Amino acid sequence: MNEDEEFAAAQLEHGGETERSKKKKNKKRKKEKSDMSVEEPEPEPEPERIKATVKFIPEQPNKTPPLVGYFPSGYNPHEGGDGGEKPRVRVYRNANEKRKRMELVVSPRESSVEFVGTSYSGEAMAPQFCQYAVGVFDKKSQTLKVVPIASNKIFRLEPRVRGEEIADKEGEKEEITADKKSNMKQMLDTLYGTKKSLRQAKKMHALNKENDPESQKDLAQKMKSVKINKQALETTTSESVLNVPQYDAAATTPEQAYPLEKIILKGEWDFLQDIYELLGAGREVTSNAYPSFVCNRIHKLQGIQDDAEKKTLACIFSYITHLVKFKDQHSMDGAASARNHRIPTILHQKFLSRFSETESKRLSDDKIHLLISYVLVLTLHADDFRTNPTDIAKDLRMSEVKLRDHFEKLGCKFSREKNVLFATLPVPLQFPKAKQRRRR
């Protein structure tokens, strides 16, 4: 055994390793690590970031915003390529309607089919829960322009045969005359109408036969058998001319001439208890909240022993108050005094339907005259049909001379007692006749 072998044997005895054994182990470990290692993929390049300026362009009335349409059928307008002919695009708009209905039409070249999308049918009529816009990026200026879509609608372009579309357009342009409309309505009544509508249609058809002598003879006989109620006709004429509440011209007492139940309806009495409740609680009726006519006659309520009679007179005073305040609310000079006054809803709706007009907030002259007539009739009921017009003229912001004309149109007569003017209501009612001017 040489020296190297003796040294290696000595190393093994002492538990050590030789340099050769260490190198072998290191090579083995490197080989194992190389086998276990996996090749990692190369990292993807990061996308190029662009700093762009976003510019929102609002809708302009003089310019039409862009329209967006899509083809659910799968048609691609760019299939022709650069050399192919592009389809023709047209936009129709109805300028006569308040709602500008739009129609987008895409017509491919050399084809009998065109694609039509409307803003008044299909998906366009569904509720819109979001807003749509189109973004256009300009690479040169690095600007992203955002433009809203026209009418916030996206058009669904459905295929349609071009010949049928033209026929529909021509049918829409054709005007329907009155005779055609009447014939169409008569045909519908005949097919789907009720027995009542059929009877009415036959009567109208018979009346429209102007050149038919038999129908004219039947009409003349029917007119002879009609009874004319002259009294009702005179009453209607007087109401339209005099502009007064409902009345009974043949009444024998003033209470029946202008019935109170025709002015204050049955369901309204429960909403007129404010003055009665104030007196029951021991409070005073102030001139700021109530007209002078009512304040000057509160002492009458205190002298009435019958509770039902006292409540009726208090309700009349309250109704007069609401009428006067309603007139002030719709006038320029009295709006401030009636600003804090509250009229019950049932009465306010009644006053609006009877005295006001929907077109204007201010009352017309005819409606003001009718309202004044209601107030004066109630003052007659409150004063036992013998009243002094001084205080109510002040409440209505009128002169006594003008108010006297209103009393006379109700059928009242005037008399003086100790230099005090009183208006009374004689029966039966006699309305003033219309004065005719003399011709010169």
Side-chain angles (χ1 to χ4, degrees):
M1 184 180 295
N2 56 17
E3 294 180 357
D4 293 335
E5 292 176 353
E6 291 178 358
F7 179 76
Q11 290 290 335
L12 289 172
E13 291 178 359
H14 292 83
E17 294 181 349
T18 61
E19 291 182 0
R20 292 178 182 177
S21 62
K22 286 181 180 181
K23 289 180 180 180
K24 288 181 180 181
K25 287 183 179 181
N26 290 336
K27 287 181 180 180
K28 190 176 181 180
R29 288 175 182 173
K30 287 180 181 180
K31 187 176 182 181
E32 290 177 356
K33 287 182 180 181
S34 62
D35 294 339
M36 293 175 64
S37 63
V38 180
E39 293 183 359
E40 296 181 357
E42 295 182 359
E44 296 181 358
E46 295 183 0
E48 183 181 359
R49 294 185 179 182
I50 300 174
K51 292 183 179 181
T53 303
V54 180
K55 184 179 180 181
F56 179 77
I57 302 176
E59 293 185 5
Q60 299 178 8
N62 299 329
K63 297 182 180 180
T64 303
L67 305 177
V68 176
Y70 71 98
F71 301 88
S73 60
Y75 168 73
N76 186 3
H78 301 288
E79 282 183 352
D82 297 335
E85 295 184 356
K86 295 182 180 180
R88 184 174 59 172
V89 180
R90 290 165 293 170
V91 178
Y92 299 97
R93 179 182 300 213
N94 194 335
N96 297 325
E97 292 184 348
K98 292 182 179 179
R99 296 187 305 171
K100 306 295 184 182
R101 301 199 300 175
M102 301 182 68
E103 190 170 308
L104 179 62
V105 180
V106 179
S107 303
R109 304 288 181 176
E110 299 179 358
S111 175
S112 61
V113 178
E114 59 186 8
F115 299 87
V116 181
T118 62
S119 63
Y120 52 88
S121 62
E123 293 182 356
M125 297 301 297
Q128 301 290 334
F129 298 104
C130 59
Q131 295 182 351
Y132 299 100
V134 176
V136 180
F137 179 68
D138 188 357
K139 293 183 178 181
K140 293 183 179 180
S141 61
Q142 298 292 310
T143 304
L144 177 63
K145 296 181 180 180
V146 180
V147 184
I149 296 174
S151 302
N152 199 26
K153 303 291 184 183
I154 295 180
F155 295 84
R156 178 187 175 96
L157 299 173
E158 297 285 354
R160 187 181 298 177
V161 179
R162 190 175 300 176
E164 294 180 0
E165 178 67 14
I166 295 173
D168 293 340
K169 294 286 183 182
E170 293 177 354
E172 290 179 0
K173 291 181 181 179
E174 183 181 358
E175 294 183 359
I176 300 176
T177 60
D179 294 337
K180 288 184 178 180
K181 190 174 182 181
S182 178
N183 294 334
M184 291 169 63
K185 184 178 183 301
Q186 186 177 0
M187 182 183 65
L188 290 174
D189 288 338
T190 305
L191 293 175
Y192 308 106
T194 60
K195 293 182 179 180
K196 183 178 179 181
S197 63
L198 289 174
R199 288 196 301 268
Q200 292 178 351
K202 289 180 181 179
K203 291 179 181 179
M204 293 299 297
H205 182 66
L207 289 173
N208 290 331
K209 289 183 178 180
E210 298 179 355
N211 299 324
D212 190 358
E214 294 183 359
S215 62
Q216 294 294 328
K217 188 184 296 185
D218 295 339
L219 182 61
Q221 291 178 357
K222 291 179 181 179
M223 292 298 294
K224 289 180 180 179
S225 62
V226 174
K227 295 181 179 180
I228 300 174
N229 191 345
K230 295 183 179 180
Q231 184 178 358
L233 183 61
E234 292 175 358
T235 303
T236 306
T237 307
S238 299
E239 286 182 357
S240 60
V241 174
L242 299 176
N243 212 3
V244 297
Q246 295 183 14
Y247 63 89
D248 184 5
T252 57
T253 61
E255 291 82 1
Q256 296 175 356
Y258 291 99
L260 191 61
E261 61 271 12
K262 298 292 185 180
I263 299 175
I264 305 177
L265 303 182
K266 185 177 180 180
E268 298 172 356
W269 291 92
D270 295 336
F271 299 91
L272 301 171
Q273 305 292 328
D274 50 336
I275 296 178
Y276 181 78
E277 292 175 357
L278 283 176
L279 296 177
R283 298 180 182 178
E284 296 183 357
V285 177
T286 60
S287 59
N288 296 331
Y290 293 91
S292 58
F293 178 89
V294 176
C295 295
N296 295 337
R297 287 161 178 77
I298 289 296
H299 63 277
K300 286 188 174 184
L301 295 174
Q302 298 173 353
I304 298 175
Q305 300 298 328
D306 188 4
D307 189 67
E309 184 180 354
K310 181 187 293 186
K311 185 178 292 186
T312 301
L313 183 57
C315 291
I316 293 175
F317 287 158
S318 180
Y319 204 94
I320 292 173
T321 302
H322 294 316
L323 284 174
V324 172
K325 296 297 182 181
F326 181 82
K327 178 179 176 296
D328 289 342
Q329 289 176 357
H330 292 78
S331 61
M332 298 295 293
D333 52 350
S337 62
R339 185 176 301 167
N340 298 325
H341 183 77
R342 181 185 173 276
I343 301 175
T345 305
I346 186 173
L347 297 179
H348 191 261
Q349 294 295 330
K350 178 181 178 181
F351 294 166
L352 287 175
S353 61
R354 180 168 293 177
F355 304 120
S356 67
E357 297 177 354
T358 55
E359 290 81 4
S360 175
K361 293 183 179 179
R362 297 187 63 182
L363 304 181
S364 63
D365 293 339
D366 292 338
K367 298 297 183 179
I368 292 175
H369 294 164
L370 180 61
L371 189 148
I372 292 173
S373 298
Y374 271 85
V375 173
L376 298 184
V377 168
L378 290 176
T379 59
L380 291 170
H381 277 278
D383 286 346
D384 297 328
F385 300 93
R386 182 176 175 273
T387 182
N388 181 10
T390 303
D391 43 9
I392 195 62
K394 180 181 177 182
D395 297 329
L396 294 173
R397 305 178 191 277
M398 299 175 60
S399 64
E400 294 185 24
V401 177
K402 289 185 178 180
L403 197 64
R404 181 171 179 172
D405 182 57
H406 287 279
F407 271 110
E408 290 177 349
K409 287 183 178 179
L410 293 171
C412 294
K413 302 295 182 182
F414 281 88
S415 61
R416 285 189 178 274
E417 296 180 12
K418 297 180 181 181
N419 294 328
V420 180
L421 189 66
F422 289 97
T424 58
L425 185 66
V427 289
L429 292 177
Q430 294 181 0
F431 297 104
K433 296 180 180 180
K435 296 180 180 180
Q436 295 181 355
R437 295 181 179 180
R438 294 180 180 180
R439 295 182 180 179
R440 295 182 179 180

